[in-house]
Amino acid sequence: MTDVQVLIRKTLRVPRSAGQPGDGARVARQMDAALTSVGFKASGELLGHVSELEPGAAMDLAVEVIGAVRELVGDHVPHNSYFIKFPDGVPDTVEFWVKCLREAFTPTRRKWLPGDRELLEVLTEGWVDLLKLPRYGRYQHTYEELLAAHDELIPSVKDRVTVLHLGDTLQEETNRLYLDLASSVTPLGESDLVLLKDLAAESVVLPDAVPVRENRAVINAVRLAAGLPLVFVDTVTDVLRVACQVSGGDVTLQERTKFRSFKRRERRVLLAALDAVIAGNSGKLGDVTLYVGPWKRLGEFLHPHEYPQFPQAQEVFAVARGERKVRSIAGRAELAFITDGVTKAVSVLANAPGLLVRSLDRLLRAAEPDEVEVVADAATKAFESTSGRVLCSLREHLGNRRTPDAARLFTTRGRRAWVTTDNRDPLSRKVIDRMNTVLDIELLNRMPAYERLVVDPAVLDVALPLTGKASEDGFAVLPRGTRAPVDGDVLRFFVYWRERDRRTDYDLSVLLLDKDFRYAGHVSWTNYGTDGAVYSGDVTESKKGATEFVDITLDTVAAAYIVPQVNIYAGEGFDEVEESMFGWMTRERGQKGAPFEARTVRTRSDMRGSGRVALPIMFARDDKGAWTANWMHLYLSGGVNFNMVEGNAISTSMIARGLFERDYLTMSYVVDMLSAKAESVTTWEPGLQLTEPVVFVGLDRPDGLPDGSEVFTRDRLNQLIPA
């Protein structure tokens, strides 16, 4: 069965125990106290359930719950700091390096340190590698010694408190999460795709529909292994994705897959699915030209010539080998655009509504005045059969096309980012307003009509989760473009990593920018402190795990923007290490405590991108001095080794500006449409008493919602995007 802790971390719901009834009240109290120490609390219903279990079963469940939430916020590993009294007692950078040099060149039994003259004589002989100095980069104290050097954390009313709720049985919770993931109308992130695979192997239900093709491939790969026919397949590319998935390759088809050998039974299932697709519509052979290389390689493993009962499937590989010429709709549209202009291209794209919608900006820019109406009318018709996710993406895109972007930001599915100047002509306000009006009507018509809607205002500024690839797995993580207020005097970043096979050195750094996004300073291993910011010290190896911190005193720092980043100086990448995470905490002055206190963690996110520089988040100060967190979830390519904040300051500042100045479509857009169709709308506030089931939309589920309520919180907000 699915790991209980996985379900708890993903949903903040605790599956009901099947243990025997009894008196577990003492265990329930102990569990709640342990949860409080890491910033969580059990709902009344959950406490009641644990209290009614016999002590052994209650303890088993409590152990699962506490273990899950500790890992959720990063408290499952010790977070040591290089300088034991951090944020106090951090020395000047150069003075510390000189001290390390003096100690390195001091004979073991001699009590005196070499003077400046002796050091200069050594240094003139060549470069000195800091990493080879015995004191540098390695913890000089244990984690227990660090804890002993710090006073206990003083509680604050601003400390985070996250509520855990009681769920249904383990099988019911497994099925619920499986259906949520499988039926998502938005692409899932990498970790959710892995989870979907695990759940698909255990769930006893099949969703009514699987809108996202990557999800279909994951589910069908499980079915293929079980000897079952493929489902929800309507293009040849769907079958190619399944072959990639079962071969351990890239289901998004962005990277080359090395296909494995297939059993005869598997070959029959895959070829039968291909045959059915082409038999239903031979025009879909055009899709083969999009991935000719993978199709050629797959044909070598499927041996289609051995299966004469699937003649249409053999046509797929004939196209891939060039024995039959077929042009895709995209290719025909591009040829029409080049040779005959916009109107002809539109007539071709009319047969592919999704492609037409994705090409709308280019068509409108190229259209002559008398062609704009043709494009607009075709787009209006295409909207009717285009997914809601694509329509929302277009709505957001058009909202940023009135003027050129100061920095045009590009992101890949793998969260790699780069920027360039925006040389596109802006679209006219009249055209944008017309398209937006049609989009609003189409999306409104697809929205469900709820009877009683309750909305937590904190959710309104969350960027629409149009893809899970614009986020990371973790705790309280929100989609790229989301802005959230920062409540606290001190902002503390932390990064933790643990190498797998070779020495790995990550460096937590902070780039400070002024109001015009120009360099205003930095904090890193080359500069331990500046302008209200202080660095915890450079740890250069991580066999047993390593943590680095940066403290920012928000009313002292002069910068307008704070951009933390994690640079890979040497060793394994973010997707190679055993474990890596980034997070941030907020504290009040005088709270004391150890460098890492779980109850002060606001968010914790995994780092699993393919770049060598991670940009998880940025912080911005408005004209009134209030700070907001702005999620980025981006990676820079960087170099193989020796990445430093000084080397990417320009590109980072451009990316930060491009992201910050972009207008993201937020949950307020969806909530407004839901509100327009609901019979009653209530704004959530603490203490609100509800007596009838409601539909709740917010970041976190409050305690005490009536039975039968439908809840959409941060893990399910994508369910509100219309299909």
Side-chain angles (χ1 to χ4, degrees):
M1 290 297 293
T2 303
D3 188 339
V4 172
Q5 292 193 16
V6 171
L7 291 172
I8 296 172
R9 290 196 299 269
K10 185 65 183 175
T11 66
L12 296 182
R13 290 164 59 92
V14 179
R16 293 176 181 271
S17 171
Q20 295 296 315
D23 184 6
R26 181 179 179 183
V27 176
R29 291 192 298 270
Q30 292 173 335
M31 182 188 74
D32 206 35
L35 289 174
T36 300
S37 68
V38 290
F40 289 83
K41 71 181 295 291
S43 69
E45 193 176 14
L46 176 56
L47 280 177
H49 175 67
V50 177
S51 297
E52 293 172 356
L53 293 171
E54 62 90 13
M59 182 60 71
D60 290 341
L61 183 58
V63 168
E64 296 277 18
V65 171
I66 295 168
V69 299
R70 289 190 63 195
E71 184 170 348
L72 192 57
V73 296
D75 193 46
H76 61 298
V77 294
H79 294 280
N80 205 348
S81 172
Y82 184 83
F83 294 116
I84 191 169
K85 293 185 178 180
F86 171 84
D88 300 323
V90 176
D92 174 80
T93 313
V94 176
E95 289 182 359
F96 177 70
W97 290 354
V98 171
K99 182 179 180 182
C100 290
L101 283 170
R102 293 187 196 279
E103 294 180 352
F105 296 116
T106 301
T108 306
R109 296 184 179 180
R110 297 178 65 175
K111 297 182 179 180
W112 61 271
L113 296 178
D116 294 344
R117 178 177 298 178
E118 288 87 351
L119 284 181
L120 287 173
E121 289 178 358
V122 173
L123 293 175
T124 54
E125 297 177 0
W127 293 98
V128 174
D129 187 350
L130 285 174
L131 299 181
K132 293 182 179 179
L133 302 181
R135 182 177 176 84
Y136 189 87
R138 301 160 188 83
Y139 288 120
Q140 304 297 306
H141 53 266
T142 66
Y143 178 62
E144 290 71 24
E145 289 171 337
L146 176 131
L147 294 181
H150 288 266
D151 295 331
E152 186 176 347
L153 180 73
I154 301 172
S156 167
V157 294
K158 293 183 179 180
D159 289 345
R160 173 188 52 79
V161 178
T162 303
V163 180
L164 294 176
H165 298 272
L166 180 64
D168 296 316
T169 66
L170 179 58
Q171 185 63 65
E172 289 170 329
E173 288 296 309
T174 298
N175 291 341
R176 176 180 181 270
L177 181 55
Y178 169 64
L179 291 176
D180 274 355
L181 295 176
S183 62
S184 171
V185 298
T186 62
L188 302 177
E190 295 87 344
S191 61
D192 280 345
L193 280 174
V194 173
L195 179 56
L196 176 63
K197 174 186 174 182
D198 295 338
L199 294 174
E202 296 181 8
S203 183
V204 297
V205 296
L206 186 67
D208 295 330
V210 182
V212 177
R213 298 189 183 278
E214 295 170 16
N215 298 356
R216 296 180 188 180
V218 171
I219 293 171
N220 276 323
V222 174
R223 293 179 64 84
L224 184 67
L228 299 173
L230 307 188
V231 293
F232 309 117
V233 172
D234 56 18
T235 71
V236 294
T237 309
D238 287 335
V239 181
L240 180 61
R241 293 184 193 274
V242 175
C244 290
Q245 174 68 18
V246 298
S247 299
D250 178 21
V251 72
T252 70
L253 306 181
Q254 300 301 302
E255 298 180 4
R256 180 186 175 95
T257 291
K258 183 178 181 180
F259 293 110
R260 66 165 173 81
S261 297
F262 296 93
K263 301 175 183 177
R264 290 191 63 85
R265 171 176 54 81
E266 293 175 326
R267 296 202 296 269
R268 284 195 299 270
V269 172
L270 292 171
L271 290 170
L274 278 178
D275 198 76
V277 168
I278 302 305
N281 183 356
S282 61
K284 293 188 176 183
L285 282 171
D287 292 342
V288 177
T289 61
L290 300 175
Y291 302 101
V292 169
W295 279 117
K296 285 182 180 179
R297 297 196 304 275
L298 181 59
E300 297 172 359
F301 290 88
L302 294 187
H303 312 300
H305 60 280
E306 297 179 3
Y307 300 88
Q309 67 268 40
F310 302 127
Q312 303 300 328
Q314 294 185 29
E315 290 295 299
V316 170
F317 298 98
V319 173
R321 293 190 300 267
E323 299 169 1
R324 177 175 176 179
K325 300 296 183 182
V326 179
R327 193 184 296 274
S328 68
I329 289 182
R332 300 204 310 270
E334 184 64 24
L335 181 62
F337 185 88
I338 294 172
T339 59
D340 299 312
V342 170
T343 300
K344 181 61 176 177
V346 168
S347 67
V348 175
L349 290 170
N351 297 312
L355 186 57
L356 190 153
V357 170
R358 291 182 174 90
S359 306
L360 183 58
D361 190 307
R362 182 188 182 192
L363 294 171
L364 288 172
R365 279 185 282 124
E368 298 294 336
D370 59 337
E371 295 177 315
V372 171
E373 196 68 21
V374 174
V375 176
D377 288 344
T380 299
K381 185 175 181 180
F383 291 165
E384 298 174 1
S385 50
T386 303
S387 72
R389 179 181 71 87
V390 173
L391 296 184
C392 287
S393 296
L394 177 62
R395 184 67 166 79
E396 179 178 289
H397 174 82
L398 293 174
N400 291 275
R401 291 293 287 118
R402 298 185 189 276
T403 58
D405 294 333
R408 190 177 180 190
L409 176 64
F410 290 89
T411 60
T412 69
R413 291 188 177 189
R415 295 184 289 276
R416 295 280 279 274
W418 73 95
V419 290
T420 185
T421 55
D422 188 0
N423 297 318
R424 299 169 300 173
D425 293 329
L427 300 179
S428 73
R429 181 180 296 271
K430 181 179 179 181
V431 170
I432 292 175
D433 289 345
R434 174 179 174 179
M435 291 292 93
N436 282 346
T437 298
V438 178
L439 285 168
D440 292 344
I441 293 172
E442 178 65 32
L443 289 168
L444 179 63
N445 289 336
R446 300 187 192 187
M447 286 292 176
Y450 295 125
E451 185 175 352
R452 288 177 290 274
L453 181 67
V454 177
V455 179
D456 182 354
V459 80
L460 299 179
D461 289 332
V462 174
L464 275 189
L466 297 175
T467 172
K469 303 180 192 306
S471 186
E472 294 269 20
D473 195 32
F475 168 68
V477 178
L478 294 170
R480 180 185 303 133
T482 297
R483 298 184 181 183
V486 175
D487 187 12
D489 298 327
V490 178
L491 188 61
R492 180 170 297 175
F493 307 123
F494 68 93
V495 61
Y496 172 88
W497 74 101
R498 180 160 55 92
E499 62 198 50
R500 186 186 299 270
D501 298 316
R502 54 196 169 104
R503 189 185 72 82
T504 298
D505 180 5
Y506 287 4
D507 292 319
L508 176 62
S509 307
V510 173
L511 178 64
L512 303 174
L513 302 172
D514 67 14
K515 61 182 180 61
D516 296 315
F517 290 91
R518 294 176 301 199
Y519 175 83
H522 75 274
V523 180
S524 72
W525 68 271
T526 64
N527 187 34
Y528 290 173
T530 184
D531 189 28
V534 60
Y535 175 59
S536 68
D538 187 19
V539 185
T540 60
E541 59 183 34
S542 56
K543 291 181 180 178
K544 298 181 180 180
T547 305
E548 293 182 3
F549 302 90
V550 170
D551 248 26
I552 308 283
T553 305
L554 292 177
D555 62 358
T556 301
V557 67
Y561 302 98
I562 300 170
V563 189
Q565 60 180 245
V566 182
N567 292 274
I568 300 179
Y569 191 79
E572 299 166 342
F574 297 118
D575 53 359
E576 297 174 309
V577 290
E578 190 70 31
E579 185 176 5
S580 64
M581 70 176 92
F582 168 88
W584 56 280
M585 302 170 261
T586 57
R587 299 196 184 192
E588 300 298 298
R589 282 192 179 86
Q591 275 197 273
K592 304 296 183 182
F596 183 93
E597 293 283 359
R599 76 183 77 174
T600 67
V601 173
R602 294 311 194 215
T603 65
R604 183 211 54 87
S605 61
D606 290 345
M607 294 186 295
R608 286 299 184 188
S610 58
R612 304 289 284 185
V613 179
L615 301 173
I617 199 169
M618 64 178 289
F619 295 81
R621 176 162 45 193
D622 64 20
D623 295 336
K624 297 181 180 178
W627 288 89
T628 58
N630 302 256
W631 285 103
M632 298 178 75
H633 302 302
L634 294 172
Y635 293 84
L636 302 178
S637 298
V640 176
N641 289 313
F642 314 128
N643 294 289
M644 298 167 57
V645 64
E646 296 94 326
N648 59 57
I650 294 177
S651 56
T652 298
S653 64
M654 293 177 64
I655 288 173
R657 181 171 188 172
L659 184 140
F660 184 78
E661 294 185 349
R662 179 177 178 82
D663 289 329
Y664 284 85
L665 205 62
T666 65
M667 285 301 302
S668 63
Y669 178 75
V670 169
V671 168
D672 285 345
M673 288 189 287
L674 290 173
S675 300
K677 300 186 75 170
E679 293 186 16
S680 68
V681 181
T682 304
T683 299
W684 170 261
E685 56 185 27
L688 178 67
Q689 298 296 316
L690 299 169
T691 57
E692 297 180 287
V694 299
V695 172
F696 176 83
V697 181
L699 291 180
D700 299 296
R701 176 176 184 147
D703 201 1
L705 287 181
D707 291 340
S709 294
E710 179 77 6
V711 179
F712 296 95
T713 49
R714 69 180 85 221
D715 63 309
R716 300 188 72 229
L717 293 179
N718 62 339
Q719 301 289 325
L720 292 173
I721 296 173

